[in-house]
Amino acid sequence: MIYDRFQQEAIDHIKSGHSVIVSAPTGAGKTVIAEHVINDCLATGKRVVYTAPIKALSNQKYRDFQAQYADKVGILTGDVSINAHAPVLIMTTEIFRNKILTESSGLEEYSWIIFDEIHYIDDFERGTVWEECLIFLPDHMKMLALSATIPNIDEFAEWIHSIHGKELKVIKEEKRPVPLHFFYQCEGMIFDNVHKLRELGYSGKKEYFYRRGKRFTRYKHLKPNRLDKLINHLQASDKLPCIYFAFGRKRCEYLADEMRGFDFLDKREKGQITKMFSSLCARFDLDNEKSAYLLLPLIERGIAYHHAGMLPTLKEVIERLFTSRLLKVIFTTETFALGINMPARTVVFDELRKFYGRYFANLKTRDFYQMAGRAGRRGIDKEGFVYSRVNLNYISLEELKRIIFSDPEKVRSRFNASYATLINLYERYGDDLYEIYPRSFHHYQEKSKSQKRALDSMRSKVDILKELGYLDENGPTEKGTFASKIYGYELSMSEMYQAGILEGLSETELATLALALVYEPRKGQTKTAISKKARHLKALTDEIISMIHRKEKHARVLPLSKDYRFHLSACIEAWMDNESFDKILSHTDADEGELIRYFRMAVQIFREVLDTPASPDLKNKIRKTISLINRGVVDAENQLRIQ
Ligand SMILES: Nc1ncnc2c1ncn2[C@@H]1O[C@H](COP(=O)(O)OP(=O)(O)OP(=O)(O)O)[C@@H](O)[C@H]1O
Ligand SMILES: [Mg+2]
């Protein structure tokens, strides 16, 4: 492979011993630079950590790297731990952060850290994790940071320089290796540029109406944008395969079902894909899964869907089919766009809006390009095609142009240190821990008012920790040490521990409790009746969580500690009773994939408890609980071991 200019430049800097940050579009080829670091480390007997923002991506990288580096690779993600002392160690960013905040982390021998998708520092909920990693990055580690295009990359690098005193070389690549061409389906027609869209689409008849004294405009007589027309057009103009992004699980399945009239495969291809599908299903133990069986009639015709509500194993099967190029249209949610190398010729946007945590909003430019960048396969396509489906009454032309043609948003700090982080810092710095704040990207970037707010929030949390007996003048107490291991659920879990409640619970009750802790109902999810056995647990947790919330509200700490939710109690009880996965689904309207994700999160919390000063008796019980939850489809490690 001949390196591109930006790849060569980055590699040259790495060779001369510098840390490097690279900002380049989706699919530009950032992985090659990471591989250079890895090869170099292996050749010279050094060790390297690689972090990815989500578990699915860590797993994917583990598979990729394993193919190249065999037993030199290991992975640690909280629910998977394989070859944990390998010279090339993949982990989630959370695990890396937790390691650098504890003493004797085992990182002394690792001389490089690679952060993939570092623009996640802007993630509202999790961004603080990247920021904490960078603030506390051990001196002996060099860093390679890979990012989607961000306009304020220089500011970012200057901040790192200001806190570590080491230069960070910045490499920018603006160009996509395969250029993108934009199209619009609007008013039942297809336009190949935005001028025509304005003249022939946004020129329709409008009507006005008033609500609460305000004037609103609405387009009249809209014509439908038909899916079959769009797909026919793509097929006729030789633009398949296509990744169709829709923002909702049900919507993906609905659209796939709408494709009844389409069949993209000839007889030979049908033979190939069904054979491949059935052998993959056998390998991933999906033979008796209804959801796999339901997909078959689609797959035979070159169609599939892929979203977080599906079984993780089934998702993996679909990904492998997609890589084989026999799937021509895949309906998927955003997760398909992140980091995994699965390009297509064309990308379609069902709409230019998505759900941002708590509300629907028009796409950010950065998110649009994360997905749009999947169009155009390097070495196969001369250009990639991006189609947006436009309903005039849902998106204005100005917004559409903003999304597609403006610069991606700057990354902003989301610094908000968790209780666990603060406990770890208190252990090291005592009451001087606030001196950490001026080292943050937040401090570097924000005005004094917002700086003060951030500092106040740190103080409030520390005050709560002191008041509730997590910290005293000697440092963290036993409860504090316990809490410092339980990221994200510090107070709610530790209060239960301290009250001696955990010791008295059975394995099933422990599992029910952990599941209630991690579970977050989705909008519209029906509340299934709490099982009889779990009612006394709810009484206990209600009392504890309302005490915690009282303190947090009083101190104005946001967000509040997560409430316990027992929607899945019947499910987990049945699962602990060795019931089959299929059967336990009847106790809930949560999706299969969602259920597995929560079960795995519960396992992760229990693994964290094993790392605390809890008694050997409790730990034994917890080990048993883990082994009861972590079986069959829930066992992530098992999935990863399947070749
Ligand atoms: N110099 C090169 N010449 C030809 N192909 C290349 C080159 N560099 C990378 N590629 C190919 O480009 C594709 C995309 O690369 P990669 O996955 O590294 O992109 P990325 O920048 O990490 O994108 P993302 O933002 O999605 O993570 C891969 O198939 C890779 O093999
Ligand atoms: Mg990448």
Side-chain angles (χ1 to χ4, degrees):
M1 185 189 294
I2 304 164
Y3 288 145
D4 291 343
R5 176 204 55 87
F6 82 96
Q7 293 169 332
Q8 190 61 57
E9 276 179 28
I11 289 170
D12 288 345
H13 285 310
I14 290 163
K15 281 185 179 154
S16 43
H18 287 106
S19 285
V20 175
I21 182 164
V22 182
S23 149
T26 308
K30 297 183 280 287
T31 313
V32 167
I33 306 167
E35 282 165 357
H36 171 83
V37 171
I38 295 174
N39 285 327
D40 191 55
C41 283
L42 288 178
T44 53
K46 287 189 230 141
R47 291 164 169 259
V48 49
V49 174
Y50 176 101
T51 68
I54 56 173
K55 286 178 186 164
L57 189 55
S58 301
N59 292 344
Q60 172 105 16
K61 285 288 173 193
Y62 174 70
R63 287 194 185 283
D64 288 354
F65 288 162
Q66 212 193 13
Q68 288 181 60
Y69 309 110
D71 61 353
K72 301 252 175 1
V73 186
I75 179 167
L76 280 179
T77 62
D79 49 29
V80 170
S81 163
I82 302 176
N83 211 359
H85 302 284
V88 180
L89 194 51
I90 296 166
M91 50 181 97
T92 48
T93 318
E94 271 82 356
I95 300 270
F96 181 70
R97 186 267 319 263
N98 302 356
K99 277 188 180 297
I100 55 179
L101 287 179
T102 33
E103 283 166 35
S104 68
S105 59
L107 285 173
E108 300 74 25
E109 294 173 37
Y110 287 81
S111 43
W112 274 90
I113 166 75
I114 301 170
F115 293 106
D116 205 352
E117 316 278 346
I118 200 169
H119 54 274
Y120 251 76
I121 196 164
D122 195 356
D123 186 86
F124 195 74
E125 271 175 27
R126 296 173 55 217
T128 191
V129 176
W130 278 260
E131 191 156 342
E132 290 164 28
C133 286
L134 292 166
I135 297 173
F136 300 108
L137 195 65
D139 258 348
H140 72 277
M141 291 187 101
K142 282 183 201 158
M143 144 172 126
L144 170 63
L146 305 173
S147 169
T149 313
I150 46 177
N152 57 334
I153 186 111
D154 289 314
E155 178 193 22
F156 190 78
E158 281 155 23
W159 164 60
I160 305 236
H161 179 81
S162 77
I163 59 172
H164 289 292
K166 281 186 284 198
E167 197 179 356
L168 179 65
K169 297 286 183 187
V170 178
I171 304 286
K172 290 178 229 179
E173 174 61 290
E174 310 269 323
K175 229 179 68 230
R176 285 168 194 281
V178 185
L180 300 179
H181 193 125
F182 298 98
F183 296 81
Y184 312 89
Q185 186 184 28
C186 178
E187 285 289 273
M189 293 175 280
I190 285 167
F191 302 112
D192 65 358
N193 71 60
V194 78
H195 307 292
K196 289 187 200 158
L197 175 68
R198 185 183 59 220
E199 276 162 32
L200 302 168
Y202 278 95
S203 60
K205 261 212 162 85
K206 290 182 217 169
E207 61 182 354
Y208 303 98
F209 61 99
Y210 291 85
R211 276 282 139 75
R212 295 204 186 104
K214 261 172 115 180
R215 193 170 92 147
F216 291 88
T217 320
R218 190 164 55 194
Y219 286 87
K220 281 199 326 195
H221 313 305
L222 289 190
K223 297 187 191 72
N225 288 325
R226 283 176 44 184
L227 176 67
D228 57 345
K229 270 201 169 165
L230 177 63
I231 303 290
N232 273 326
H233 161 88
L234 295 180
Q235 192 176 18
S237 48
D238 194 21
K239 286 178 180 159
L240 298 177
C242 118
I243 301 174
Y244 188 118
F245 286 108
F247 300 99
R249 302 164 186 185
K250 288 276 170 298
R251 178 83 183 148
C252 289
E253 296 187 14
Y254 175 85
L255 288 165
D257 190 55
E258 288 274 282
M259 298 282 291
R260 258 166 260 138
F262 286 88
D263 186 351
F264 300 106
L265 304 183
D266 63 28
K267 211 169 151 203
R268 193 180 51 89
E269 291 168 323
K270 275 187 207 307
Q272 276 178 309
I273 201 165
T274 44
K275 198 166 145 217
M276 200 171 158
F277 185 61
S278 67
S279 87
L280 282 169
C281 283
R283 232 183 295 163
F284 283 94
D285 200 18
L286 288 164
D287 279 337
N288 299 317
E289 286 303 329
K290 196 171 119 210
S291 50
Y293 173 81
L294 284 175
L295 263 165
L296 184 61
L298 292 173
I299 283 168
E300 277 176 344
R301 293 180 287 127
I303 303 162
Y305 52 82
H306 179 284
H307 58 69
M310 295 161 68
L311 289 173
T313 40
L314 187 55
K315 269 168 50 184
E316 189 162 348
V317 168
I318 300 296
E319 287 161 20
R320 291 185 184 207
L321 290 180
F322 189 78
T323 316
S324 79
R325 297 200 191 155
L326 285 162
L327 287 177
K328 302 301 175 195
V329 181
I330 184 162
F331 296 93
T332 184
T333 50
E334 200 187 359
T335 45
F336 207 71
L338 195 76
I340 49 181
N341 183 22
M342 271 188 229
R345 183 164 289 174
T346 298
V347 159
V348 177
F349 286 86
D350 195 40
E351 53 182 345
L352 294 172
R353 286 151 57 82
K354 77 159 197 168
F355 193 62
Y356 279 99
R358 289 196 190 94
Y359 50 87
F360 270 96
N362 290 332
L363 286 172
K364 291 185 181 168
T365 300
R366 187 177 334 117
D367 297 337
F368 175 81
Y369 278 99
Q370 183 93 55
M371 291 176 259
R374 299 281 141 217
R377 295 159 299 178
R378 221 178 159 167
I380 304 175
D381 303 318
K382 276 212 293 296
E383 54 182 342
F385 306 102
V386 181
Y387 283 74
S388 303
R389 301 183 79 186
V390 179
N391 178 327
L392 300 179
N393 280 330
Y394 280 75
I395 186 145
S396 69
L397 185 61
E398 289 68 45
E399 269 295 285
L400 179 141
K401 289 205 291 205
R402 195 255 321 143
I403 294 170
I404 303 181
F405 300 109
S406 59
D407 281 339
E409 295 75 11
K410 286 185 179 176
V411 292
R412 269 189 68 185
S413 164
R414 305 292 177 184
F415 184 71
N416 186 9
S418 64
Y419 291 111
T421 297
L422 293 171
I423 296 170
N424 280 309
L425 294 183
Y426 192 81
E427 177 159 30
R428 269 205 235 170
Y429 305 103
D431 282 318
D432 293 337
L433 88 163
Y434 304 108
E435 285 163 29
I436 293 302
Y437 175 67
R439 292 169 62 85
S440 68
F441 191 37
H442 195 270
H443 181 267
Y444 194 81
Q445 222 180 9
E446 297 288 334
K447 302 226 159 57
S448 60
K449 214 167 151 191
S450 156
Q451 291 175 345
K452 184 174 172 305
R453 259 203 308 272
L455 209 50
D456 283 348
S457 152
M458 271 174 94
R459 284 190 210 282
S460 302
K461 282 187 182 167
V462 172
D463 288 347
I464 291 180
L465 288 170
K466 286 184 174 169
E467 214 178 301
L468 290 177
Y470 290 77
L471 306 173
D472 63 22
E473 58 281 8
N474 303 319
T477 59
E478 191 203 316
K479 176 160 80 159
T481 310
F482 183 94
S484 74
K485 307 290 179 186
I486 317 286
Y487 278 89
Y489 306 97
E490 299 87 338
L491 302 191
S492 21
M493 196 67 182
S494 309
E495 290 302 315
M496 300 293 276
Y497 167 71
Q498 196 208 16
I501 294 171
L502 301 184
E503 311 266 349
L505 298 181
S506 68
E507 285 84 6
T508 301
E509 288 169 325
L510 280 170
T512 310
L513 192 74
L515 218 67
L517 192 54
V518 296
Y519 179 69
E520 286 178 62
R522 288 200 293 144
K523 243 179 135 186
Q525 198 135 23
T526 48
K527 186 164 181 187
T528 35
I530 176 169
S531 65
K532 256 198 200 138
K533 283 193 212 150
R535 275 184 210 153
H536 71 287
L537 287 176
K538 184 163 183 330
L540 292 172
T541 56
D542 277 354
E543 194 178 319
I544 281 178
I545 206 74
S546 62
M547 181 278 288
I548 295 171
H549 284 174
R550 252 196 327 274
K551 299 252 183 249
E552 290 181 323
K553 280 180 193 155
H554 182 73
R556 294 167 199 251
V557 167
L558 280 174
L560 297 181
S561 288
K562 208 202 135 279
D563 210 345
Y564 285 83
R565 308 239 176 219
F566 286 90
H567 295 52
L568 298 178
S569 56
C571 261
I572 184 72
E573 281 164 13
W575 182 249
M576 296 297 278
D577 257 354
N578 212 17
E579 194 63 89
S580 74
F581 192 73
D582 241 17
K583 286 255 173 64
I584 70 164
L585 281 172
S586 65
H587 296 294
T588 175
D589 66 343
D591 290 329
E592 302 178 325
E594 221 181 337
L595 215 53
I596 290 183
R597 195 169 73 90
Y598 286 122
F599 282 22
R600 288 178 178 178
M601 282 168 80
V603 168
Q604 183 170 334
I605 292 193
F606 286 133
R607 289 201 173 152
E608 289 172 353
V609 174
L610 293 180
D611 217 20
T612 66
S615 72
D617 274 358
L618 179 57
K619 285 189 184 175
N620 274 336
K621 204 156 59 179
I622 295 243
R623 272 188 211 100
K624 203 160 159 223
T625 311
I626 293 177
S627 72
L628 288 170
I629 307 177
N630 208 20
R631 62 180 168 90
V633 278
V634 176
D635 187 347
E637 223 167 274
N638 187 34
Q639 182 182 343
L640 209 52
R641 287 211 159 93
I642 300 170
Q643 287 299 309

